[in-house]
Amino acid sequence: QVQLVESGGGLVQDGGSLRLSCAASGRTFSSYRMGWFRQAPGKEREWVASIRGRGGPSYYADSVKGRFTISRDNAKNTVYLQMNSLKPEDTADYYCAASNADLGQYDYWGQGTQVTVSS
């Protein structure tokens, strides 16, 4: 079982930056594929970014490519999402997720952290 706790959300102006953190429990964190998702009011949840375990590659949705960076610190059991050049359309609840497989569905989800970008 893996427990995920997000933090770092808040209110920021258009063009600003935030860094989200997701702290994970468990001794096998480094082997998990980690992902960030978001859900805006009235919209479906969408994938934002993911990163393989043990320093593997990272991937991004086109809508955030070049602005967001996913990273992980396996010593701290933490995954981050650095968000720069934020836009009002980035406003959403952001969730981290963990998977013990390189592909497919995620097995564990956090409770989410809210990000609001004002224009």
Side-chain angles (χ1 to χ4, degrees):
Q1 189 75 10
V2 175
Q3 292 185 329
L4 304 172
V5 179
E6 302 95 335
S7 62
L11 174 64
V12 64
Q13 289 188 333
D14 189 355
S17 298
L18 281 175
R19 188 177 80 156
L20 306 183
S21 300
C22 173
S25 64
R27 292 178 291 179
T28 58
F29 172 79
S30 61
S31 66
Y32 281 88
R33 173 170 55 106
M34 301 298 297
W36 284 98
F37 292 76
R38 67 186 182 186
Q39 187 167 19
K43 294 188 176 181
E44 297 287 317
R45 184 173 62 194
E46 65 172 345
W47 168 75
V48 173
S50 58
I51 186 168
R52 297 275 184 92
R54 305 186 190 283
S58 53
Y59 306 91
Y60 299 92
D62 287 343
S63 58
V64 306
K65 200 172 295 183
R67 300 187 298 122
F68 290 12
T69 303
I70 188 172
S71 62
R72 65 191 299 159
D73 185 336
N74 290 334
K76 295 182 178 180
N77 279 18
T78 301
V79 63
Y80 303 98
L81 186 68
Q82 178 66 44
M83 306 186 295
N84 298 329
S85 302
L86 282 161
K87 306 174 183 180
E89 51 263 44
D90 294 317
T91 295
D93 291 327
Y94 283 72
Y95 300 87
C96 72
S99 171
N100 54 20
D102 285 344
L103 296 172
Q105 292 184 339
Y106 285 81
D107 306 295
Y108 307 102
W109 293 84
Q111 294 299 307
T113 186
Q114 188 174 57
V115 172
T116 303
V117 184
S118 63
S119 57

